[in-house]
Amino acid sequence: MKQRVSALLREKFGREVVLEKPKDRSFGHFATPIAFSLAKELRKSPMVIAEDLASSFNDSEIFTSVESVKGYLNFRLSEHFLNDYALWALENENDFGKQEKKEKILLEFVSANPTGPLHIGHARGAVYGDTLYRLAKHLGYDITAEYYVNDAGNQIDLLGLSIALYARENILNESVEYPESYYRGEYLDGLAKGAVEKFGVEIFSDESRYKELALWAKDGVMDIITKSLADTNIFFDTFVKESSLYSEWDRVMDKMASTDKNAIYKKEDKVWLSSEAKGDDNDRVVVREDGRPTYLAGDIVYHNQKFERGYDHYINIWGADHHGYIPRVNAAVEYLGYDSNKLETLLAQMVSLLKDGEPYKMSKRAGNVILMSDIVEEIGADALRFIFASKKSDTALEFDLAEFKKQDSSNPIFYVQYAHARIQTIINKSELSKHEIMESSLMGLEENADILLFDALLLPEVIEDAFSSRQVQKLTDYLKALAASLHKFYYDCKIIGSDDEAKLLKLLLVVALSLKTGLSLMGIEAKDHMSREDNA
RNA sequence: GCGUUCGUAGCUCAGCUGGAUAGAGCACCGGUUUGCGGUACCGGCGGUCAGGGAUUCGAAUUCCUUCGAGCGCACCA
């Protein structure tokens, strides 16, 4: 809709025109301050320019009126245009807001280590990534969701040790001491018991077999992780294991060296990456004295593999505590001969949780982490997704669980769902058939109804904007606002029994379509009725 | 110290590439249809957009600077 207006104006003025939503809806559907920028070039007052421009729009098919107010140019779309568009949307529900972007995108997110269940910080990145994924799919991008599994390195050994220690204490009843760095948590119990079945209790007393224990356990942890993700409607297309990459290390090193002979060098018996020359603070070790590659080496191979698979664009979503890591990966990508501008790294900031004012604490390795699964159990997956999607991902977030358990307008997910449910209820209540409703015209709506229709038809622009700016909260903001318009309209206007019943119901169908489509892009299913007992 | 993200109402946050009177929700106070789910709606209270400077027709938004906060600054992943 906006694209059409925008294209029309671009053609008319021969330049890109800024379109915005007027502050006050009585001004019209769209507005532009273009007269202000033209004022300087034309050496005339903005008011005069706006007047001239407005009067030049007499014969447009899309607009009913174009007016100038204090230098702004305000456009009002024609009823024909809105009516046709709404009808098309209702008849092509699944295509509403869809586009056909062709770009191939690789989106990597979550990628939490397989050493324990996901905590609340991971959940934020997970929701953010999955929402972007759904938006991109809707826009027609060929996007792949990928999870990078860090199943090599010290932390895996530590997992084995942690399970063994847990088992020795709780199954063999030995008295043990936990070093600070060991993993803790309830999940160890399941793994320890599983290990007894698989290997027998002997394994816990045999240090030489801890590696074996760890390699088995990491798959179990991945199952726990993918299950919590699935419970939140998050799924991945591909998993890439770090352990599968190191065999390519020599080839990748040669590749960097052939692009730039200074990319890699030896010093103090270690191998270094010249990342400082590419904007990093320091050069980085990639192979230690003893020949073991560092974590960065694995990531270099991984990114090489990503680029060799051939996508147009790459997006990584990382926790904010990894932001210092970006320059070295970009450096490596350039040494590999690729354009680091194609690699976009987004950060999900920390989350702090309150419950009735009490702050929760998060520490990665202590047993008292706040698990994603616990929060899902407490407030439900829908509420979790809504809250995480509704805040800009690059700012720290604090929220109180209590707010998302309420069943009233203070809980945004409830509020939006209730709007959708109200529409379903009233449609069912009406005696009119679906056919009669669809046959009616949306022309001649009064002003409030017209505004509601316009708002509902704005979803496609919101989807495009939310994805291209990577700001998924634009979608939740939109849904909250649309729900508010609906509730207000419902209060102001009697629908059943009115002369315009069919017309108004059709309008509500358009609103419901927008709500439902918007929710589905957040991995949330729209509800047709609310129940008071439904305390998720 | 260096890098980075930020600082908007009592609280949690929106405010897009500069544009019309800086917005929501919570909290607090007061109201509402003979009408379809009052699980809703409306109104009030509340702001020096951290401070200062610059750019211009115009700045919460861009730039500089001061102050304050989170995160990072490993041969851990």
Side-chain angles (χ1 to χ4, degrees):
Chain A
M1 193 157 65
K2 189 172 174 179
Q3 276 112 338
R4 277 205 52 191
V5 174
S6 183
L8 188 133
L9 296 182
R10 194 183 310 125
E11 198 176 314
K12 187 169 173 80
F13 294 130
R15 64 167 71 195
E16 205 55 49
V17 177
V18 179
L19 270 186
E20 53 194 38
K21 227 162 82 172
K23 275 270 150 61
D24 186 335
R25 276 323 191 37
S26 63
F27 286 147
H29 292 125
F30 291 111
T32 177
I34 188 171
F36 290 97
S37 31
L38 288 175
K40 209 180 289 177
E41 301 169 31
L42 301 179
R43 302 186 154 274
K44 282 199 278 188
S45 112
M47 315 270 211
V48 176
I49 297 169
E51 288 292 340
D52 290 350
L53 291 177
S55 56
S56 72
F57 273 93
N58 285 333
D59 51 348
S60 164
E61 286 184 10
I62 308 188
F63 306 120
T64 33
S65 75
V66 181
E67 294 170 339
S68 85
V69 180
K70 292 198 286 188
Y72 285 83
L73 216 48
N74 297 327
F75 303 94
R76 189 177 298 278
L77 293 167
S78 79
E79 293 191 308
H80 266 107
F81 179 72
L82 292 175
N83 180 53
D84 291 352
Y85 187 45
L87 184 63
W88 174 86
L90 289 175
E91 286 174 345
N92 300 275
E93 289 198 3
N94 294 329
D95 292 331
F96 183 45
K98 279 205 173 151
Q99 293 190 36
E100 299 197 349
K101 312 259 187 193
K102 292 296 178 214
E103 223 179 9
K104 264 184 90 176
I105 300 176
L106 182 65
L107 172 68
E108 182 215 325
F109 63 111
V110 184
S111 297
N113 293 345
T115 53
L118 297 177
H119 60 63
I120 195 71
H122 295 130
R124 188 179 195 182
V127 168
Y128 181 48
D130 185 65
T131 309
L132 283 179
Y133 177 74
R134 287 168 186 269
L135 289 169
K137 279 244 153 153
H138 203 76
L139 291 170
Y141 289 101
D142 179 1
I143 187 167
T144 302
E146 183 155 291
Y147 190 122
Y148 179 47
V149 185
N150 293 123
D151 61 345
N154 295 340
Q155 85 277 11
I156 292 298
D157 297 335
L158 202 54
L159 173 65
L161 290 169
S162 301
I163 294 169
L165 207 58
Y166 178 90
R168 282 171 54 198
E169 182 179 33
N170 297 286
I171 294 178
L172 304 178
N173 295 313
E174 295 174 19
S175 120
V176 297
E177 266 182 44
Y178 277 95
E180 182 68 26
S181 58
Y182 277 37
Y183 302 121
R184 290 157 201 250
E186 221 177 300
Y187 74 102
L188 292 176
D189 192 62
L191 291 173
K193 285 176 179 155
V196 172
E197 278 181 37
K198 172 92 180 168
F199 303 106
V201 289
E202 320 74 78
I203 196 167
F204 302 130
S205 312
D206 183 354
E207 248 174 85
S208 68
R209 296 185 64 194
Y210 285 1
K211 186 85 186 174
E212 188 186 345
L213 178 61
L215 291 177
W216 165 81
K218 69 177 194 191
D219 292 335
V221 176
M222 275 311 289
D223 288 344
I224 295 173
I225 290 174
T226 48
K227 177 170 186 313
S228 325
L229 290 169
D231 287 344
T232 321
N233 251 338
I234 297 173
F235 303 93
F236 286 85
D237 298 313
T238 50
F239 292 82
V240 173
K241 291 185 176 182
E242 182 186 359
S243 59
S244 71
L245 297 174
Y246 289 104
S247 59
E248 286 195 68
W249 173 242
D250 289 337
R251 179 174 75 80
V252 171
M253 253 197 308
D254 291 346
K255 185 168 174 179
M256 287 194 284
S258 69
T259 308
D260 183 333
K261 62 181 168 48
N262 298 317
I264 295 278
Y265 63 91
K266 275 202 162 191
K267 194 176 95 184
E268 298 161 4
D269 290 328
K270 297 167 227 175
V271 181
W272 299 71
L273 176 73
S274 307
S275 50
E276 191 173 347
K278 296 282 188 185
D280 197 4
D281 294 341
N282 297 298
D283 287 352
R284 307 290 170 178
V285 173
V286 285
V287 182
R288 303 175 179 94
E289 286 173 282
D290 60 10
R292 284 156 51 231
T294 62
Y295 178 76
L296 178 60
D299 235 5
I300 292 172
V301 179
Y302 176 41
H303 280 85
N304 177 62
Q305 192 232 43
K306 281 185 177 180
F307 276 88
E308 283 183 351
R309 283 193 274 158
Y311 291 84
D312 300 313
H313 194 75
Y314 304 83
I315 302 176
N316 291 341
I317 297 176
W318 290 351
D321 52 344
H322 284 63
H323 73 82
Y325 200 77
I326 296 173
R328 69 189 79 166
V329 171
N330 284 343
V333 166
E334 284 180 26
Y335 281 129
L336 286 164
Y338 299 111
D339 180 3
S340 66
N341 290 319
K342 285 186 174 181
L343 175 65
E344 176 185 358
T345 302
L346 304 170
L347 299 176
Q349 288 282 348
M350 302 294 124
V351 179
S352 45
L353 263 184
L354 298 172
K355 187 176 180 182
D356 306 316
E358 273 304 285
Y360 271 59
K361 275 194 180 160
M362 279 201 294
S363 113
K364 216 171 184 177
R365 293 195 169 157
N368 64 350
V369 284
I370 307 167
L371 301 183
M372 176 174 173
S373 52
D374 288 346
I375 304 300
V376 168
E377 202 171 309
E378 186 130 5
I379 64 174
D382 292 356
L384 177 88
R385 291 195 64 128
F386 204 92
I387 175 66
F388 281 152
S390 65
K391 307 294 176 186
K392 237 180 2 191
S393 66
D394 60 358
T395 11
L397 164 69
E398 185 173 273
F399 75 97
D400 196 318
L401 283 181
E403 191 185 336
F404 293 88
K405 296 175 78 171
K406 293 192 193 154
Q407 304 283 300
D408 60 40
S409 62
S410 68
N411 178 351
I413 179 61
F414 179 86
Y415 187 70
V416 173
Q417 288 281 22
Y418 181 42
H420 186 265
R422 265 188 146 172
I423 294 172
Q424 299 312 317
T425 308
I426 200 168
I427 297 279
N428 292 335
K429 201 144 203 155
S430 167
E431 314 253 306
L432 297 175
S433 68
K434 180 118 189 187
H435 182 70
E436 285 171 294
I437 296 171
M438 291 295 281
E439 282 298 291
S440 71
S441 154
L442 284 169
M443 316 262 278
L445 291 171
E446 57 162 293
E447 175 139 22
N448 285 342
D450 177 75
I451 290 173
L452 184 60
L453 174 63
F454 176 73
D455 284 347
L457 291 175
L458 225 37
L459 179 71
E461 279 75 39
V462 175
I463 295 172
E464 162 102 51
D465 188 26
F467 180 74
S468 62
S469 66
R470 316 284 191 242
Q471 311 220 331
V472 298
Q473 83 278 6
K474 291 186 177 183
L475 180 57
T476 57
D477 285 351
Y478 168 78
L479 291 173
K480 281 189 275 188
L482 183 58
S485 302
L486 183 276
H487 285 307
K488 179 168 167 49
F489 182 75
Y490 186 93
Y491 179 85
D492 288 340
C493 175
K494 186 185 175 192
I495 293 161
I496 290 192
S498 104
D499 293 342
D500 287 334
E501 185 170 329
K503 181 182 292 197
L504 295 175
L505 287 174
K506 188 173 176 186
L507 164 64
L508 294 193
L509 280 178
V510 180
V511 176
L513 172 60
S514 243
L515 291 173
K516 185 178 176 181
T517 307
L519 285 171
S520 77
L521 290 170
M522 291 195 302
I524 299 174
E525 196 177 339
K527 294 186 178 175
D528 288 346
H529 54 85
M530 311 297 288
S531 61
R532 226 176 254 270
E533 296 71 39
D534 192 18
N535 275 313

